[in-house]
Amino acid sequence: MNLSDPKYSKYALVREMLETSDVVNQFSHASTKRFAEAIQKKKALFLTGEGSSRIFPAKRAICDVLKDGGPMAIMTEGSTQAMEYKLKDYAVFGASNSGKTKEVVRLFMKLKEEGHDAFFGLTANKDTTLEQISMDTHVMNCGTEDAVAATKSVIEQGLFFDSVLHHLSETDLDGLDQLARDIEKALTATIDPELIEILKNADKIYFAGRNTGVAEELTLKTNEITRKKSDFLEGTYAVHGIEEVMDANEVLVVVDPFESEEQKFAECLIDGVAMKVIAISSRQTSFPTFLIPDGGAFKEYVELAAGWNLLVDIGIALGIDLDKPVRARKVGNEYIL
């Protein structure tokens, strides 16, 4: 996608996606240091929020810590279920772009009543209900989003948690300039029209991949952007029974497939179901592949941006107004005083 083409530039969603590189370039690692200092006394982090504010930012952080080892264990859950947990040993971060998401506000009101001493907000707006309740709040620099689907804010939320973890490890958050370039390449890459045609005509689009938040977030974005039904198949779940109810009119998009499992995916899904399998990856896979920059330590951010690019082209091919879903709302469940 590109802003010089009117079929893209007329949509706020596209403009906001293409602002993501600037969001990365302008991110301040120093701005999160006070949060790292405030949570050092706690045993672990608990990251909560609803929808896009939790899926990618929290799950990518968890995966990163588990892969590389980290300064503090991380857990995540939706805010309503979190109200049933004992969180006194956790530093709790609640992400809500609007700052008025009912589930997050309600949890934080409970933590405040209990005398919890480390719960913090992450928003894209100033002077919100969440900011009033939280012990401290980081207001992001990405600005507000006019499109219903959250995009650039998701990336900044991810960077916020990345930055906090680096401060806890006393390491620099290096490589953001290259990340910004890689994201721009992924967003502006021209995608094979045949892949778009396959996805446009699919009855359902599945996403598979590591539990980093990428494939799961793209599943949600498929609903919001293309209006197609979608499902997230974690890891190799796609070949562990669900193939029984799949059919040839459905498509699987696998993000950075496990090379050792590609043959099994082909046997079960391509040969067994006669469905199409497409990959998003920095290497040429055995499936038709949307090739993207490697991304290094930030590869998940690049994968997510590439997925956005794919979904925008599908939506435009379907003639959908990307900025005006029929039922979805910018604030899914707003807290009313």
Side-chain angles (χ1 to χ4, degrees), residues 84-155:
E84 300 174 355
Y85 296 167
K86 297 184 185 304
L87 297 173
K88 65 182 181 64
D89 292 329
Y90 292 84
V92 182
F93 282 90
S96 164
N97 285 340
S98 66
K100 51 188 177 183
T101 302
K102 180 179 180 179
E103 295 90 338
V104 181
V105 170
R106 191 169 51 192
L107 171 63
F108 272 39
M109 291 174 68
K110 179 176 182 285
L111 293 176
K112 187 172 185 177
E113 290 171 1
E114 293 173 346
H116 197 290
D117 59 354
F119 57 101
F120 309 97
L122 177 60
T123 78
N125 294 279
K126 295 180 179 179
D127 303 321
T128 63
T129 305
L130 183 61
E131 186 174 1
Q132 293 167 10
I133 300 170
S134 302
M135 298 187 69
D136 193 1
T137 300
H138 178 78
V139 180
M140 299 186 293
N141 293 318
C142 62
T144 58
E145 293 168 314
D146 293 324
V148 168
T151 52
K152 60 180 180 177
S153 62
V154 174
I155 297 296

Side-chain angles (χ1 to χ4, degrees), residues 29-40 93 120-121 131 135-139 160 164 167:
H29 181 42
S31 68
T32 71
K33 186 175 182 180
R34 72 181 192 272
F35 294 94
E37 293 172 345
I39 66 178
Q40 287 178 334
F93 282 90
F120 309 97
E131 186 174 1
M135 298 187 69
D136 193 1
T137 300
H138 178 78
V139 180
F160 174 85
V164 169
H167 279 302

Side-chain angles (χ1 to χ4, degrees), residues 186-250:
L187 286 171
T188 58
T190 300
I191 303 171
D192 185 344
E194 290 187 12
L195 299 185
I196 301 303
E197 190 67 15
I198 290 169
L199 291 160
K200 169 190 169 184
N201 294 323
D203 292 338
K204 186 173 184 177
I205 302 175
Y206 297 95
F207 282 87
R210 292 165 177 80
N211 195 17
T212 61
V214 176
E216 187 174 357
E217 172 64 12
L218 290 176
T219 298
L220 172 57
K221 288 293 174 284
T222 299
N223 303 146
E224 294 175 334
I225 295 173
T226 75
R227 319 293 200 263
K228 284 184 177 288
K229 293 182 179 180
S230 187
D231 198 3
F232 167 52
L233 308 179
E234 178 186 343
T236 61
Y237 175 37
V239 296
H240 283 276
I242 194 171
E243 66 270 28
E244 183 68 19
V245 297
M246 289 173 158
D247 64 54
N249 294 322
E250 298 171 340

